[in-house]
Amino acid sequence: MIPTRIAVIQGDPRARVDLAVGALAPRLISRDAARAHIALAAAGMILLGGDDVHVDVSVGAGCLLEIEDVGGTIAYRADGRRSSWTMEVHVAEGATLLWRGLPFVATDGADVERRTTLHLATGATAVIRETLVLGRHGESGGRLASSFVAGDADGPLLVEQLDLDGLAPEPGVLGAHRVLDSVIALGFEPETTRGDLVLEHSGAIARHLGAETHTSRLDRVWDEWAGLLREGTRTAVGK
């Protein structure tokens, strides 16, 4: 499949925004000299067995890019064929990415590999919302291998790998739960609460495990953490 591309660099009077439609269709909502707000929706029916979705994102120095998913993603029965979803993100010096993802659902019979890679330059920050769901209502869910790797010039910030299978739940991973909701902050230190994971370098993760997405508390966390960056009032700056 043709890669989807989103890129923004500062401009006068408005930022330059480059968008390329692939399996996903990015649409410009608003922009000013250094900010852009993009809606991201499926350009067709995805994910089917054998689909290979690739999204490239580039945030120019000093810019703020906000990406908002529209409709979420469903990985359908694959009939033995694996599908993949890859996101490659580069956030330049002093730039910020806010990506609010909607649920990513692996239905019964799905077999999908999901990879997210973030490269943060000096002073770059990000807040990412990821919601992984095994199955639609009444389903056990399929296979979902999900990796999230983030790093800066000094090395890794966060490296995670989850191998999930709705037909073979593992204790200590999701157990009996089918929803893993996460808000991930990188490059700054948001206010955290009990149960949140504070990273060794500037950053934190808030998580929710449950049976349904609507029981998650993380809408509030997203609003607070993203708001710090959106308003330029983050409490600390990364290295």
Side-chain angles (χ1 to χ4, degrees), residues 15-41:
R16 176 180 173 182
V17 179
D18 293 326
L19 305 176
V21 176
L24 302 176
R27 295 289 184 261
L28 178 64
I29 297 175
S30 64
R31 60 177 163 169
D32 60 21
R35 297 188 176 209
H37 186 182
I38 303 295
L40 191 61

PDB file of all heavy atoms in Angstrom, residues 15-41:
ATOM      1  N   ALA A  15       1.862  27.690   8.620  1.00  0.00           N
ATOM      2  CA  ALA A  15       2.783  26.567   8.485  1.00  0.00           C
ATOM      3  C   ALA A  15       2.543  25.840   7.169  1.00  0.00           C
ATOM      4  O   ALA A  15       1.419  25.799   6.646  1.00  0.00           O
ATOM      5  CB  ALA A  15       2.602  25.606   9.661  1.00  0.00           C
ATOM      6  N   ARG A  16       3.625  25.253   6.657  1.00  0.00           N
ATOM      7  CA  ARG A  16       3.493  24.406   5.471  1.00  0.00           C
ATOM      8  C   ARG A  16       3.129  23.004   5.919  1.00  0.00           C
ATOM      9  O   ARG A  16       3.820  22.414   6.748  1.00  0.00           O
ATOM     10  CB  ARG A  16       4.799  24.380   4.687  1.00  0.00           C
ATOM     11  CG  ARG A  16       4.748  23.441   3.492  1.00  0.00           C
ATOM     12  CD  ARG A  16       6.055  23.427   2.729  1.00  0.00           C
ATOM     13  NE  ARG A  16       6.056  22.406   1.695  1.00  0.00           N
ATOM     14  CZ  ARG A  16       7.090  22.151   0.898  1.00  0.00           C
ATOM     15  NH1 ARG A  16       8.208  22.865   1.031  1.00  0.00           N
ATOM     16  NH2 ARG A  16       7.016  21.219  -0.021  1.00  0.00           N
ATOM     17  N   VAL A  17       2.050  22.470   5.373  1.00  0.00           N
ATOM     18  CA  VAL A  17       1.564  21.135   5.734  1.00  0.00           C
ATOM     19  C   VAL A  17       1.519  20.282   4.478  1.00  0.00           C
ATOM     20  O   VAL A  17       0.841  20.628   3.501  1.00  0.00           O
ATOM     21  CB  VAL A  17       0.168  21.207   6.379  1.00  0.00           C
ATOM     22  CG1 VAL A  17      -0.332  19.808   6.719  1.00  0.00           C
ATOM     23  CG2 VAL A  17       0.197  22.071   7.640  1.00  0.00           C
ATOM     24  N   ASP A  18       2.260  19.185   4.483  1.00  0.00           N
ATOM     25  CA  ASP A  18       2.271  18.253   3.358  1.00  0.00           C
ATOM     26  C   ASP A  18       1.526  16.986   3.760  1.00  0.00           C
ATOM     27  O   ASP A  18       1.870  16.344   4.765  1.00  0.00           O
ATOM     28  CB  ASP A  18       3.710  17.904   2.966  1.00  0.00           C
ATOM     29  CG  ASP A  18       4.462  19.090   2.391  1.00  0.00           C
ATOM     30  OD1 ASP A  18       3.821  19.924   1.719  1.00  0.00           O
ATOM     31  OD2 ASP A  18       5.683  19.182   2.623  1.00  0.00           O
ATOM     32  N   LEU A  19       0.522  16.607   2.972  1.00  0.00           N
ATOM     33  CA  LEU A  19      -0.303  15.437   3.263  1.00  0.00           C
ATOM     34  C   LEU A  19      -0.342  14.529   2.043  1.00  0.00           C
ATOM     35  O   LEU A  19      -0.482  14.996   0.911  1.00  0.00           O
ATOM     36  CB  LEU A  19      -1.734  15.862   3.615  1.00  0.00           C
ATOM     37  CG  LEU A  19      -1.899  16.868   4.761  1.00  0.00           C
ATOM     38  CD1 LEU A  19      -3.363  17.250   4.924  1.00  0.00           C
ATOM     39  CD2 LEU A  19      -1.345  16.299   6.060  1.00  0.00           C
ATOM     40  N   ALA A  20      -0.180  13.225   2.283  1.00  0.00           N
ATOM     41  CA  ALA A  20      -0.286  12.238   1.212  1.00  0.00           C
ATOM     42  C   ALA A  20      -1.234  11.136   1.657  1.00  0.00           C
ATOM     43  O   ALA A  20      -1.076  10.576   2.750  1.00  0.00           O
ATOM     44  CB  ALA A  20       1.079  11.652   0.867  1.00  0.00           C
ATOM     45  N   VAL A  21      -2.210  10.832   0.825  1.00  0.00           N
ATOM     46  CA  VAL A  21      -3.214   9.818   1.150  1.00  0.00           C
ATOM     47  C   VAL A  21      -2.702   8.440   0.768  1.00  0.00           C
ATOM     48  O   VAL A  21      -2.207   8.225  -0.341  1.00  0.00           O
ATOM     49  CB  VAL A  21      -4.538  10.105   0.413  1.00  0.00           C
ATOM     50  CG1 VAL A  21      -5.546   8.991   0.680  1.00  0.00           C
ATOM     51  CG2 VAL A  21      -5.098  11.448   0.833  1.00  0.00           C
ATOM     52  N   GLY A  22      -2.775   7.511   1.716  1.00  0.00           N
ATOM     53  CA  GLY A  22      -2.477   6.105   1.459  1.00  0.00           C
ATOM     54  C   GLY A  22      -3.681   5.288   1.887  1.00  0.00           C
ATOM     55  O   GLY A  22      -4.804   5.560   1.469  1.00  0.00           O
ATOM     56  N   ALA A  23      -3.459   4.285   2.729  1.00  0.00           N
ATOM     57  CA  ALA A  23      -4.576   3.548   3.297  1.00  0.00           C
ATOM     58  C   ALA A  23      -5.387   4.437   4.225  1.00  0.00           C
ATOM     59  O   ALA A  23      -6.576   4.196   4.468  1.00  0.00           O
ATOM     60  CB  ALA A  23      -4.061   2.325   4.063  1.00  0.00           C
ATOM     61  N   LEU A  24      -4.735   5.479   4.760  1.00  0.00           N
ATOM     62  CA  LEU A  24      -5.399   6.470   5.584  1.00  0.00           C
ATOM     63  C   LEU A  24      -5.403   7.815   4.866  1.00  0.00           C
ATOM     64  O   LEU A  24      -4.496   8.122   4.085  1.00  0.00           O
ATOM     65  CB  LEU A  24      -4.694   6.602   6.937  1.00  0.00           C
ATOM     66  CG  LEU A  24      -4.597   5.332   7.770  1.00  0.00           C
ATOM     67  CD1 LEU A  24      -3.797   5.584   9.040  1.00  0.00           C
ATOM     68  CD2 LEU A  24      -5.978   4.802   8.127  1.00  0.00           C
ATOM     69  N   ALA A  25      -6.433   8.612   5.154  1.00  0.00           N
ATOM     70  CA  ALA A  25      -6.586   9.909   4.500  1.00  0.00           C
ATOM     71  C   ALA A  25      -6.481  11.017   5.534  1.00  0.00           C
ATOM     72  O   ALA A  25      -7.388  11.192   6.346  1.00  0.00           O
ATOM     73  CB  ALA A  25      -7.927   9.984   3.781  1.00  0.00           C
ATOM     74  N   PRO A  26      -5.376  11.775   5.548  1.00  0.00           N
ATOM     75  CA  PRO A  26      -5.257  12.920   6.458  1.00  0.00           C
ATOM     76  C   PRO A  26      -5.960  14.147   5.881  1.00  0.00           C
ATOM     77  O   PRO A  26      -5.893  14.403   4.674  1.00  0.00           O
ATOM     78  CB  PRO A  26      -3.745  13.133   6.560  1.00  0.00           C
ATOM     79  CG  PRO A  26      -3.202  12.597   5.264  1.00  0.00           C
ATOM     80  CD  PRO A  26      -4.143  11.542   4.783  1.00  0.00           C
ATOM     81  N   ARG A  27      -6.605  14.896   6.760  1.00  0.00           N
ATOM     82  CA  ARG A  27      -7.324  16.106   6.336  1.00  0.00           C
ATOM     83  C   ARG A  27      -6.961  17.254   7.277  1.00  0.00           C
ATOM     84  O   ARG A  27      -7.009  17.102   8.490  1.00  0.00           O
ATOM     85  CB  ARG A  27      -8.843  15.874   6.370  1.00  0.00           C
ATOM     86  CG  ARG A  27      -9.321  14.826   5.374  1.00  0.00           C
ATOM     87  CD  ARG A  27      -9.228  15.337   3.947  1.00  0.00           C
ATOM     88  NE  ARG A  27      -9.765  14.387   2.970  1.00  0.00           N
ATOM     89  CZ  ARG A  27      -9.033  13.556   2.255  1.00  0.00           C
ATOM     90  NH1 ARG A  27      -7.703  13.543   2.419  1.00  0.00           N
ATOM     91  NH2 ARG A  27      -9.579  12.732   1.392  1.00  0.00           N
ATOM     92  N   LEU A  28      -6.624  18.393   6.709  1.00  0.00           N
ATOM     93  CA  LEU A  28      -6.257  19.555   7.493  1.00  0.00           C
ATOM     94  C   LEU A  28      -7.495  20.202   8.098  1.00  0.00           C
ATOM     95  O   LEU A  28      -8.446  20.538   7.387  1.00  0.00           O
ATOM     96  CB  LEU A  28      -5.519  20.567   6.611  1.00  0.00           C
ATOM     97  CG  LEU A  28      -5.094  21.882   7.272  1.00  0.00           C
ATOM     98  CD1 LEU A  28      -4.081  21.632   8.381  1.00  0.00           C
ATOM     99  CD2 LEU A  28      -4.525  22.834   6.227  1.00  0.00           C
ATOM    100  N   ILE A  29      -7.482  20.365   9.442  1.00  0.00           N
ATOM    101  CA  ILE A  29      -8.571  21.040  10.132  1.00  0.00           C
ATOM    102  C   ILE A  29      -8.247  22.513  10.332  1.00  0.00           C
ATOM    103  O   ILE A  29      -9.061  23.387  10.045  1.00  0.00           O
ATOM    104  CB  ILE A  29      -8.850  20.365  11.488  1.00  0.00           C
ATOM    105  CG1 ILE A  29      -9.317  18.912  11.269  1.00  0.00           C
ATOM    106  CG2 ILE A  29      -9.895  21.149  12.283  1.00  0.00           C
ATOM    107  CD1 ILE A  29      -9.508  18.138  12.553  1.00  0.00           C
ATOM    108  N   SER A  30      -7.030  22.797  10.837  1.00  0.00           N
ATOM    109  CA  SER A  30      -6.641  24.191  11.062  1.00  0.00           C
ATOM    110  C   SER A  30      -5.132  24.273  11.138  1.00  0.00           C
ATOM    111  O   SER A  30      -4.441  23.271  11.330  1.00  0.00           O
ATOM    112  CB  SER A  30      -7.269  24.723  12.362  1.00  0.00           C
ATOM    113  OG  SER A  30      -6.778  24.011  13.484  1.00  0.00           O
ATOM    114  N   ARG A  31      -4.615  25.511  11.007  1.00  0.00           N
ATOM    115  CA  ARG A  31      -3.176  25.758  11.144  1.00  0.00           C
ATOM    116  C   ARG A  31      -2.927  27.238  11.370  1.00  0.00           C
ATOM    117  O   ARG A  31      -3.759  28.086  11.035  1.00  0.00           O
ATOM    118  CB  ARG A  31      -2.406  25.280   9.918  1.00  0.00           C
ATOM    119  CG  ARG A  31      -2.813  25.955   8.626  1.00  0.00           C
ATOM    120  CD  ARG A  31      -1.969  25.512   7.453  1.00  0.00           C
ATOM    121  NE  ARG A  31      -2.611  25.853   6.190  1.00  0.00           N
ATOM    122  CZ  ARG A  31      -2.008  25.779   4.992  1.00  0.00           C
ATOM    123  NH1 ARG A  31      -0.741  25.382   4.915  1.00  0.00           N
ATOM    124  NH2 ARG A  31      -2.664  26.086   3.904  1.00  0.00           N
ATOM    125  N   ASP A  32      -1.765  27.517  11.970  1.00  0.00           N
ATOM    126  CA  ASP A  32      -1.266  28.881  12.023  1.00  0.00           C
ATOM    127  C   ASP A  32       0.207  28.824  11.659  1.00  0.00           C
ATOM    128  O   ASP A  32       0.644  27.882  10.971  1.00  0.00           O
ATOM    129  CB  ASP A  32      -1.544  29.546  13.372  1.00  0.00           C
ATOM    130  CG  ASP A  32      -0.897  28.816  14.548  1.00  0.00           C
ATOM    131  OD1 ASP A  32       0.074  28.041  14.334  1.00  0.00           O
ATOM    132  OD2 ASP A  32      -1.345  29.016  15.690  1.00  0.00           O
ATOM    133  N   ALA A  33       1.022  29.764  12.110  1.00  0.00           N
ATOM    134  CA  ALA A  33       2.415  29.808  11.672  1.00  0.00           C
ATOM    135  C   ALA A  33       3.225  28.603  12.130  1.00  0.00           C
ATOM    136  O   ALA A  33       4.193  28.213  11.463  1.00  0.00           O
ATOM    137  CB  ALA A  33       3.076  31.093  12.163  1.00  0.00           C
ATOM    138  N   ALA A  34       2.862  27.999  13.266  1.00  0.00           N
ATOM    139  CA  ALA A  34       3.676  26.909  13.796  1.00  0.00           C
ATOM    140  C   ALA A  34       2.847  25.741  14.299  1.00  0.00           C
ATOM    141  O   ALA A  34       3.392  24.815  14.897  1.00  0.00           O
ATOM    142  CB  ALA A  34       4.570  27.417  14.930  1.00  0.00           C
ATOM    143  N   ARG A  35       1.538  25.735  14.057  1.00  0.00           N
ATOM    144  CA  ARG A  35       0.669  24.674  14.553  1.00  0.00           C
ATOM    145  C   ARG A  35      -0.210  24.149  13.430  1.00  0.00           C
ATOM    146  O   ARG A  35      -0.635  24.897  12.548  1.00  0.00           O
ATOM    147  CB  ARG A  35      -0.217  25.181  15.692  1.00  0.00           C
ATOM    148  CG  ARG A  35       0.554  25.636  16.918  1.00  0.00           C
ATOM    149  CD  ARG A  35      -0.395  25.933  18.056  1.00  0.00           C
ATOM    150  NE  ARG A  35       0.338  26.269  19.268  1.00  0.00           N
ATOM    151  CZ  ARG A  35      -0.122  26.049  20.496  1.00  0.00           C
ATOM    152  NH1 ARG A  35      -1.298  25.489  20.658  1.00  0.00           N
ATOM    153  NH2 ARG A  35       0.596  26.380  21.545  1.00  0.00           N
ATOM    154  N   ALA A  36      -0.510  22.844  13.513  1.00  0.00           N
ATOM    155  CA  ALA A  36      -1.437  22.236  12.563  1.00  0.00           C
ATOM    156  C   ALA A  36      -2.248  21.172  13.279  1.00  0.00           C
ATOM    157  O   ALA A  36      -1.735  20.448  14.139  1.00  0.00           O
ATOM    158  CB  ALA A  36      -0.687  21.621  11.383  1.00  0.00           C
ATOM    159  N   HIS A  37      -3.520  21.078  12.920  1.00  0.00           N
ATOM    160  CA  HIS A  37      -4.440  20.088  13.472  1.00  0.00           C
ATOM    161  C   HIS A  37      -4.949  19.255  12.311  1.00  0.00           C
ATOM    162  O   HIS A  37      -5.516  19.788  11.351  1.00  0.00           O
ATOM    163  CB  HIS A  37      -5.593  20.794  14.190  1.00  0.00           C
ATOM    164  CG  HIS A  37      -6.514  19.877  14.915  1.00  0.00           C
ATOM    165  ND1 HIS A  37      -7.627  20.321  15.584  1.00  0.00           N
ATOM    166  CD2 HIS A  37      -6.495  18.521  15.092  1.00  0.00           C
ATOM    167  CE1 HIS A  37      -8.255  19.298  16.149  1.00  0.00           C
ATOM    168  NE2 HIS A  37      -7.586  18.205  15.849  1.00  0.00           N
ATOM    169  N   ILE A  38      -4.726  17.936  12.397  1.00  0.00           N
ATOM    170  CA  ILE A  38      -5.032  17.014  11.297  1.00  0.00           C
ATOM    171  C   ILE A  38      -6.007  15.951  11.773  1.00  0.00           C
ATOM    172  O   ILE A  38      -5.850  15.380  12.860  1.00  0.00           O
ATOM    173  CB  ILE A  38      -3.748  16.318  10.787  1.00  0.00           C
ATOM    174  CG1 ILE A  38      -2.709  17.352  10.337  1.00  0.00           C
ATOM    175  CG2 ILE A  38      -4.072  15.338   9.660  1.00  0.00           C
ATOM    176  CD1 ILE A  38      -3.110  18.173   9.143  1.00  0.00           C
ATOM    177  N   ALA A  39      -7.032  15.667  10.967  1.00  0.00           N
ATOM    178  CA  ALA A  39      -7.914  14.525  11.199  1.00  0.00           C
ATOM    179  C   ALA A  39      -7.456  13.377  10.307  1.00  0.00           C
ATOM    180  O   ALA A  39      -7.071  13.585   9.153  1.00  0.00           O
ATOM    181  CB  ALA A  39      -9.361  14.883  10.884  1.00  0.00           C
ATOM    182  N   LEU A  40      -7.492  12.151  10.863  1.00  0.00           N
ATOM    183  CA  LEU A  40      -6.988  10.987  10.136  1.00  0.00           C
ATOM    184  C   LEU A  40      -8.067   9.919  10.110  1.00  0.00           C
ATOM    185  O   LEU A  40      -8.524   9.448  11.158  1.00  0.00           O
ATOM    186  CB  LEU A  40      -5.734  10.457  10.832  1.00  0.00           C
ATOM    187  CG  LEU A  40      -4.897   9.418  10.099  1.00  0.00           C
ATOM    188  CD1 LEU A  40      -4.370   9.978   8.775  1.00  0.00           C
ATOM    189  CD2 LEU A  40      -3.740   8.956  10.978  1.00  0.00           C
ATOM    190  N   ALA A  41      -8.482   9.539   8.896  1.00  0.00           N
ATOM    191  CA  ALA A  41      -9.543   8.554   8.730  1.00  0.00           C
ATOM    192  C   ALA A  41      -9.134   7.524   7.680  1.00  0.00           C
ATOM    193  O   ALA A  41      -8.252   7.764   6.855  1.00  0.00           O
ATOM    194  CB  ALA A  41     -10.844   9.229   8.304  1.00  0.00           C
TER     195      ALA A  41
END
